[in-house]
Amino acid sequence: METLKNELLEVKVVAMGAELQSIKDNHGNEYLWQGDPAFWPRRSPILFPIVCSVENDTYYVDGKAYHLPRHGFARDTEFQCIAKSDSRVTFALHESEESLKVYPFRFNLGITYRLDGNRIHVIWHVENTDSREIHFQIGGHPAFNVPEMKVGDQLEGTFRLDNDQPLDSLKSYIDGSHEMTEVPAEVENGIIQFNNEFFRNDSVKIHKSQTHQVALLHRNGEPAVTIDYKAPIIGLWSPYDKHAPFVCIEPWYGLGDPRGYQGEFKDKPMMNHLQPGASFLSEYTITIG
Protein backbone atom coordinates (compact mmCIF):
# COMPACT_ATOMS: atom_id res chain seq x y z
CA MET A 1 0.00 0.00 0.00
CA GLU A 2 1.35 3.41 -0.99
CA THR A 3 0.15 6.59 0.75
CA LEU A 4 0.03 10.18 -0.53
CA LYS A 5 -0.75 12.87 2.03
CA ASN A 6 -0.97 16.63 2.38
CA GLU A 7 -2.79 19.03 4.70
CA LEU A 8 -6.17 18.29 3.04
CA LEU A 9 -6.24 14.67 1.87
CA GLU A 10 -4.79 11.22 2.51
CA VAL A 11 -4.86 8.87 -0.50
CA LYS A 12 -3.98 5.17 -0.50
CA VAL A 13 -3.19 3.04 -3.57
CA VAL A 14 -2.38 -0.66 -3.79
CA ALA A 15 -0.11 -2.36 -6.35
CA MET A 16 -2.74 -4.98 -7.27
CA GLY A 17 -4.43 -3.37 -10.23
CA ALA A 18 -2.79 -0.02 -9.34
CA GLU A 19 -6.15 0.63 -7.66
CA LEU A 20 -7.17 3.49 -5.39
CA GLN A 21 -8.13 2.18 -1.95
CA SER A 22 -9.02 5.25 0.08
CA ILE A 23 -9.56 9.00 -0.16
CA LYS A 24 -9.93 10.69 3.24
CA ASP A 25 -10.09 14.37 4.09
CA ASN A 26 -8.33 15.92 7.08
CA HIS A 27 -11.38 15.18 9.26
CA GLY A 28 -11.16 11.47 8.51
CA ASN A 29 -14.19 11.37 6.20
CA GLU A 30 -13.93 8.59 3.59
CA TYR A 31 -15.09 9.44 0.06
CA LEU A 32 -14.13 6.28 -1.82
CA TRP A 33 -16.37 3.20 -1.65
CA GLN A 34 -14.69 0.59 0.55
CA GLY A 35 -15.56 -2.53 -1.42
CA ASP A 36 -18.19 -4.28 0.71
CA PRO A 37 -18.70 -7.55 -1.21
CA ALA A 38 -22.38 -7.58 -0.28
CA PHE A 39 -22.76 -4.86 -2.92
CA TRP A 40 -19.57 -4.72 -5.05
CA PRO A 41 -16.11 -5.81 -3.94
CA ARG A 42 -14.02 -3.32 -5.91
CA ARG A 43 -13.18 0.33 -5.30
CA SER A 44 -11.62 1.96 -8.37
CA PRO A 45 -10.39 -0.59 -10.92
CA ILE A 46 -8.37 0.30 -14.02
CA LEU A 47 -10.09 -0.94 -17.20
CA PHE A 48 -7.55 -2.18 -19.77
CA PRO A 49 -7.22 -3.30 -22.55
CA ILE A 50 -11.00 -3.29 -22.93
CA VAL A 51 -13.85 -1.31 -21.40
CA CYS A 52 -16.98 -3.31 -20.56
CA SER A 53 -17.24 -6.62 -22.46
CA VAL A 54 -16.47 -8.22 -25.78
CA GLU A 55 -19.19 -10.43 -27.30
CA ASN A 56 -19.23 -13.78 -25.45
CA ASP A 57 -15.86 -12.76 -23.88
CA THR A 58 -14.32 -13.37 -27.34
CA TYR A 59 -12.65 -11.03 -29.82
CA TYR A 60 -10.65 -11.44 -33.01
CA VAL A 61 -7.22 -10.20 -34.10
CA ASP A 62 -6.40 -11.09 -37.72
CA GLY A 63 -9.13 -13.73 -37.56
CA LYS A 64 -7.73 -15.47 -34.47
CA ALA A 65 -9.97 -15.73 -31.40
CA TYR A 66 -8.84 -14.41 -28.03
CA HIS A 67 -10.74 -14.31 -24.76
CA LEU A 68 -10.97 -11.57 -22.15
CA PRO A 69 -13.27 -11.14 -19.14
CA ARG A 70 -15.27 -7.96 -18.58
CA HIS A 71 -13.05 -4.87 -18.28
CA GLY A 72 -9.86 -6.77 -19.15
CA PHE A 73 -6.98 -8.08 -17.05
CA ALA A 74 -5.20 -5.01 -15.63
CA ARG A 75 -7.51 -4.73 -12.61
CA ASP A 76 -6.49 -8.23 -11.48
CA THR A 77 -2.76 -7.95 -12.21
CA GLU A 78 0.05 -6.86 -9.90
CA PHE A 79 1.71 -3.63 -11.01
CA GLN A 80 5.21 -2.51 -10.02
CA CYS A 81 5.68 0.74 -8.12
CA ILE A 82 8.44 2.50 -10.06
CA ALA A 83 8.42 6.01 -8.54
CA LYS A 84 7.18 7.50 -5.27
CA SER A 85 7.22 10.86 -3.49
CA ASP A 86 4.98 12.46 -0.86
CA SER A 87 2.63 13.76 -3.58
CA ARG A 88 3.04 11.34 -6.48
CA VAL A 89 3.23 7.60 -7.14
CA THR A 90 3.59 5.74 -10.44
CA PHE A 91 2.83 2.08 -11.14
CA ALA A 92 3.81 0.19 -14.28
CA LEU A 93 2.68 -2.95 -16.09
CA HIS A 94 3.95 -4.52 -19.31
CA GLU A 95 3.09 -7.61 -21.28
CA SER A 96 3.86 -11.04 -19.91
CA GLU A 97 3.74 -14.59 -21.17
CA GLU A 98 0.26 -14.87 -19.65
CA SER A 99 -1.06 -11.57 -21.01
CA LEU A 100 0.08 -12.40 -24.55
CA LYS A 101 -2.21 -15.42 -24.49
CA VAL A 102 -5.27 -13.18 -24.07
CA TYR A 103 -4.04 -9.88 -25.57
CA PRO A 104 -1.44 -10.42 -28.32
CA PHE A 105 0.30 -7.05 -28.10
CA ARG A 106 3.38 -5.74 -26.31
CA PHE A 107 2.88 -2.59 -24.28
CA ASN A 108 3.86 -0.49 -21.29
CA LEU A 109 1.00 0.78 -19.11
CA GLY A 110 1.73 3.47 -16.55
CA ILE A 111 -0.74 4.66 -13.91
CA THR A 112 0.21 7.77 -11.91
CA TYR A 113 -1.61 9.36 -8.98
CA ARG A 114 -0.63 12.95 -8.16
CA LEU A 115 -2.01 14.75 -5.13
CA ASP A 116 -2.40 18.53 -5.47
CA GLY A 117 -4.35 20.25 -2.70
CA ASN A 118 -7.86 18.78 -2.68
CA ARG A 119 -7.41 17.28 -6.15
CA ILE A 120 -6.12 13.87 -7.27
CA HIS A 121 -4.80 13.57 -10.82
CA VAL A 122 -5.18 10.05 -12.25
CA ILE A 123 -2.81 9.84 -15.24
CA TRP A 124 -2.83 7.05 -17.85
CA HIS A 125 0.14 6.37 -20.13
CA VAL A 126 0.06 3.61 -22.75
CA GLU A 127 3.16 2.96 -24.87
CA ASN A 128 3.35 0.65 -27.88
CA THR A 129 6.51 -1.45 -27.47
CA ASP A 130 5.44 -3.89 -30.21
CA SER A 131 6.69 -3.98 -33.80
CA ARG A 132 3.15 -3.51 -35.15
CA GLU A 133 0.18 -1.26 -34.47
CA ILE A 134 -1.63 -2.08 -31.24
CA HIS A 135 -5.28 -1.51 -30.35
CA PHE A 136 -6.63 -0.86 -26.85
CA GLN A 137 -9.23 0.78 -24.67
CA ILE A 138 -8.75 2.27 -21.22
CA GLY A 139 -11.05 3.63 -18.55
CA GLY A 140 -11.58 4.45 -14.90
CA HIS A 141 -14.20 2.95 -12.59
CA PRO A 142 -13.99 4.93 -9.31
CA ALA A 143 -16.82 4.38 -6.84
CA PHE A 144 -17.83 7.08 -4.36
CA ASN A 145 -19.95 6.98 -1.23
CA VAL A 146 -23.31 8.68 -1.78
CA PRO A 147 -23.39 11.68 0.59
CA GLU A 148 -25.67 11.38 3.62
CA MET A 149 -26.67 7.80 2.69
CA LYS A 150 -26.33 4.84 5.03
CA VAL A 151 -26.53 1.10 4.37
CA GLY A 152 -30.22 0.19 4.31
CA ASP A 153 -31.38 3.55 2.94
CA GLN A 154 -33.08 3.86 -0.43
CA LEU A 155 -30.66 5.01 -3.11
CA GLU A 156 -31.14 8.70 -3.85
CA GLY A 157 -28.72 11.39 -4.93
CA THR A 158 -27.84 14.12 -7.39
CA PHE A 159 -25.29 14.56 -10.17
CA ARG A 160 -24.52 17.95 -11.69
CA LEU A 161 -23.07 18.00 -15.21
CA ASP A 162 -21.26 20.81 -17.01
CA ASN A 163 -23.78 20.82 -19.88
CA ASP A 164 -27.32 22.08 -19.28
CA GLN A 165 -28.57 21.10 -22.76
CA PRO A 166 -30.56 17.90 -23.50
CA LEU A 167 -28.15 14.95 -23.70
CA ASP A 168 -28.20 11.53 -25.33
CA SER A 169 -27.02 8.21 -23.94
CA LEU A 170 -26.56 4.83 -25.57
CA LYS A 171 -29.38 2.30 -25.38
CA SER A 172 -28.26 -0.15 -22.69
CA TYR A 173 -29.51 -3.35 -21.09
CA ILE A 174 -29.38 -4.77 -17.58
CA ASP A 175 -26.88 -7.44 -18.67
CA GLY A 176 -24.37 -4.67 -19.34
CA SER A 177 -24.65 -4.78 -23.13
CA HIS A 178 -25.63 -1.87 -25.35
CA GLU A 179 -26.54 -0.79 -28.86
CA MET A 180 -25.15 2.24 -30.69
CA THR A 181 -28.71 3.64 -30.76
CA GLU A 182 -29.10 6.93 -28.90
CA VAL A 183 -31.85 7.57 -26.36
CA PRO A 184 -32.52 10.73 -24.31
CA ALA A 185 -30.55 10.85 -21.08
CA GLU A 186 -32.57 11.44 -17.90
CA VAL A 187 -31.04 14.85 -17.26
CA GLU A 188 -32.69 18.24 -16.91
CA ASN A 189 -30.73 21.49 -17.06
CA GLY A 190 -27.54 19.61 -16.24
CA ILE A 191 -29.03 17.88 -13.18
CA ILE A 192 -29.57 14.14 -12.76
CA GLN A 193 -31.68 13.07 -9.80
CA PHE A 194 -30.72 9.41 -9.54
CA ASN A 195 -32.33 6.56 -7.66
CA ASN A 196 -32.51 2.79 -8.08
CA GLU A 197 -34.57 3.04 -11.29
CA PHE A 198 -32.01 5.32 -12.92
CA PHE A 199 -29.74 2.24 -13.14
CA ARG A 200 -32.43 -0.17 -14.35
CA ASN A 201 -30.45 -0.74 -17.57
CA ASP A 202 -27.07 -1.10 -15.87
CA SER A 203 -24.73 1.84 -16.59
CA VAL A 204 -25.85 5.07 -18.25
CA LYS A 205 -23.37 5.81 -21.06
CA ILE A 206 -23.16 9.44 -22.18
CA HIS A 207 -20.88 9.55 -25.23
CA LYS A 208 -19.63 11.90 -27.97
CA SER A 209 -17.89 14.21 -25.46
CA GLN A 210 -21.17 15.80 -24.40
CA THR A 211 -19.80 16.41 -20.90
CA HIS A 212 -16.39 16.84 -19.29
CA GLN A 213 -17.39 17.20 -15.64
CA VAL A 214 -19.71 15.35 -13.26
CA ALA A 215 -20.18 16.42 -9.63
CA LEU A 216 -21.76 14.22 -6.96
CA LEU A 217 -23.66 16.61 -4.68
CA HIS A 218 -24.45 16.77 -1.01
CA ARG A 219 -28.13 17.20 -0.18
CA ASN A 220 -27.50 20.93 0.33
CA GLY A 221 -26.35 21.18 -3.29
CA GLU A 222 -22.63 21.56 -2.56
CA PRO A 223 -20.24 19.20 -4.38
CA ALA A 224 -18.87 16.26 -2.42
CA VAL A 225 -16.78 14.87 -5.29
CA THR A 226 -16.18 16.32 -8.77
CA ILE A 227 -14.72 14.36 -11.69
CA ASP A 228 -13.16 16.29 -14.58
CA TYR A 229 -12.14 14.34 -17.67
CA LYS A 230 -11.17 14.59 -21.33
CA ALA A 231 -12.51 11.14 -22.20
CA PRO A 232 -15.33 11.06 -24.79
CA ILE A 233 -17.57 8.79 -22.69
CA ILE A 234 -18.74 8.92 -19.08
CA GLY A 235 -20.41 5.92 -17.53
CA LEU A 236 -22.64 6.29 -14.45
CA TRP A 237 -23.36 3.12 -12.50
CA SER A 238 -24.63 1.59 -9.29
CA PRO A 239 -25.79 -2.05 -9.03
CA TYR A 240 -29.49 -2.19 -9.82
CA ASP A 241 -31.91 -3.26 -7.08
CA LYS A 242 -29.24 -3.38 -4.36
CA HIS A 243 -29.66 0.20 -3.11
CA ALA A 244 -25.90 0.22 -2.71
CA PRO A 245 -24.66 3.37 -0.95
CA PHE A 246 -22.22 4.24 -3.75
CA VAL A 247 -22.17 5.40 -7.36
CA CYS A 248 -19.45 5.10 -9.99
CA ILE A 249 -18.43 7.99 -12.25
CA GLU A 250 -16.38 6.37 -15.02
CA PRO A 251 -14.35 8.19 -17.73
CA TRP A 252 -13.86 5.87 -20.69
CA TYR A 253 -11.78 5.80 -23.83
CA GLY A 254 -13.72 2.85 -25.16
CA LEU A 255 -16.94 0.87 -25.17
CA GLY A 256 -17.96 -2.76 -25.03
CA ASP A 257 -18.96 -4.58 -28.18
CA PRO A 258 -22.37 -3.52 -29.46
CA ARG A 259 -24.86 -6.38 -29.27
CA GLY A 260 -24.04 -9.03 -31.87
CA TYR A 261 -20.68 -7.54 -32.91
CA GLN A 262 -18.61 -10.03 -34.94
CA GLY A 263 -15.93 -7.82 -36.48
CA GLU A 264 -12.24 -7.48 -35.81
CA PHE A 265 -11.03 -6.01 -32.51
CA LYS A 266 -9.41 -3.05 -34.28
CA ASP A 267 -12.66 -2.09 -36.01
CA LYS A 268 -15.00 -1.99 -33.02
CA PRO A 269 -16.46 1.39 -31.95
CA MET A 270 -14.31 3.64 -29.75
CA MET A 271 -11.02 1.83 -30.32
CA ASN A 272 -7.64 3.49 -29.78
CA HIS A 273 -4.65 2.72 -32.01
CA LEU A 274 -0.92 3.24 -31.53
CA GLN A 275 1.86 2.83 -34.07
CA PRO A 276 5.14 1.24 -32.89
CA GLY A 277 6.93 3.57 -30.47
CA ALA A 278 3.90 5.85 -30.08
CA SER A 279 2.26 6.74 -26.75
CA PHE A 280 -1.17 7.67 -25.43
CA LEU A 281 -1.44 10.05 -22.46
CA SER A 282 -4.54 11.30 -20.69
CA GLU A 283 -5.87 11.93 -17.20
CA TYR A 284 -8.94 12.60 -15.13
CA THR A 285 -9.10 14.42 -11.81
CA ILE A 286 -10.98 13.82 -8.58
CA THR A 287 -11.72 16.96 -6.56
CA ILE A 288 -12.93 16.58 -2.98
CA GLY A 289 -15.26 19.30 -1.71
Side-chain angles (χ1 to χ4, degrees):
M1 188 82 72
E2 303 292 343
T3 300
L4 307 177
K5 189 172 183 178
N6 62 17
E7 68 280 4
L8 297 176
L9 296 178
E10 180 182 78
V11 176
K12 294 183 180 294
V13 191
V14 71
M16 177 56 72
E19 185 176 359
L20 273 171
Q21 297 293 289
S22 175
I23 303 172
K24 288 185 178 179
D25 65 18
N26 56 5
H27 300 293
N29 299 310
E30 178 64 73
Y31 290 81
L32 195 70
W33 168 246
Q34 289 300 287
D36 182 347
F39 298 100
W40 188 59
R42 301 181 186 267
R43 304 184 187 196
S44 183
I46 303 296
L47 315 183
F48 179 90
I50 59 172
V51 172
C52 299
S53 297
V54 289
E55 186 82 0
N56 297 318
D57 292 340
T58 302
Y59 70 100
Y60 297 89
V61 176
D62 298 329
K64 182 178 178 180
Y66 294 87
H67 306 284
L68 277 174
R70 186 173 179 83
H71 294 318
F73 57 76
R75 63 181 184 168
D76 295 315
T77 305
E78 188 90 8
F79 283 64
Q80 180 183 3
C81 180
I82 60 171
K84 172 71 166 60
S85 68
D86 290 342
S87 62
R88 186 183 184 105
V89 63
T90 297
F91 294 88
L93 178 70
H94 59 81
E95 83 285 342
S96 65
E97 183 178 336
E98 290 304 308
S99 76
L100 288 169
K101 293 176 183 177
V102 298
Y103 178 66
F105 301 107
R106 300 183 183 275
F107 65 92
N108 284 329
L109 171 61
I111 307 295
T112 296
Y113 297 92
R114 181 169 68 87
L115 182 57
D116 178 18
N118 66 335
R119 177 170 288 192
I120 303 151
H121 296 258
V122 184
I123 303 163
W124 301 323
H125 180 210
V126 183
E127 180 186 7
N128 179 359
T129 58
D130 212 316
S131 59
R132 57 175 174 164
E133 184 179 52
I134 71 170
H135 320 288
F136 72 94
Q137 299 177 328
I138 192 166
H141 202 314
F144 301 101
N145 296 319
V146 176
E148 292 88 40
M149 182 179 174
K150 304 184 298 295
V151 173
D153 289 350
Q154 298 291 298
L155 177 62
E156 290 183 335
T158 304
F159 294 125
R160 184 179 66 210
L161 282 57
D162 62 340
N163 186 345
D164 60 6
Q165 300 302 306
L167 303 178
D168 294 319
S169 60
L170 292 174
K171 186 175 183 179
S172 299
Y173 298 88
I174 191 60
D175 63 0
S177 66
H178 72 276
E179 299 176 3
M180 296 307 293
T181 305
E182 294 178 345
V183 295
E186 296 175 37
V187 54
E188 185 172 352
N189 298 321
I191 297 296
I192 294 174
Q193 302 287 355
F194 64 82
N195 55 23
N196 178 65
E197 284 304 301
F198 182 75
F199 302 105
R200 63 190 176 276
N201 292 318
D202 196 65
S203 63
V204 175
K205 305 169 183 71
I206 299 174
H207 69 147
K208 292 186 176 178
S209 297
Q210 296 175 87
T211 72
H212 291 291
Q213 183 186 86
V214 176
L216 175 62
L217 304 184
H218 287 287
R219 289 179 181 173
N220 64 7
E222 295 298 315
V225 177
T226 302
I227 307 297
D228 291 274
Y229 48 92
K230 303 171 186 176
I233 304 165
I234 194 74
L236 305 173
W237 178 76
S238 190
Y240 179 64
D241 259 2
K242 288 191 175 182
H243 291 280
F246 74 88
V247 289
C248 294
I249 305 173
E250 308 176 38
W252 294 344
Y253 285 90
L255 276 170
D257 285 357
R259 280 191 160 193
Y261 183 75
Q262 296 295 320
E264 282 274 319
F265 186 59
K266 66 181 178 65
D267 297 325
K268 64 180 288 183
M270 300 306 303
M271 183 58 69
N272 306 286
H273 313 278
L274 284 177
Q275 293 295 325
S279 293
F280 164 96
L281 182 67
S282 192
E283 71 171 333
Y284 72 93
T285 60
I286 304 168
T287 303
I288 302 301

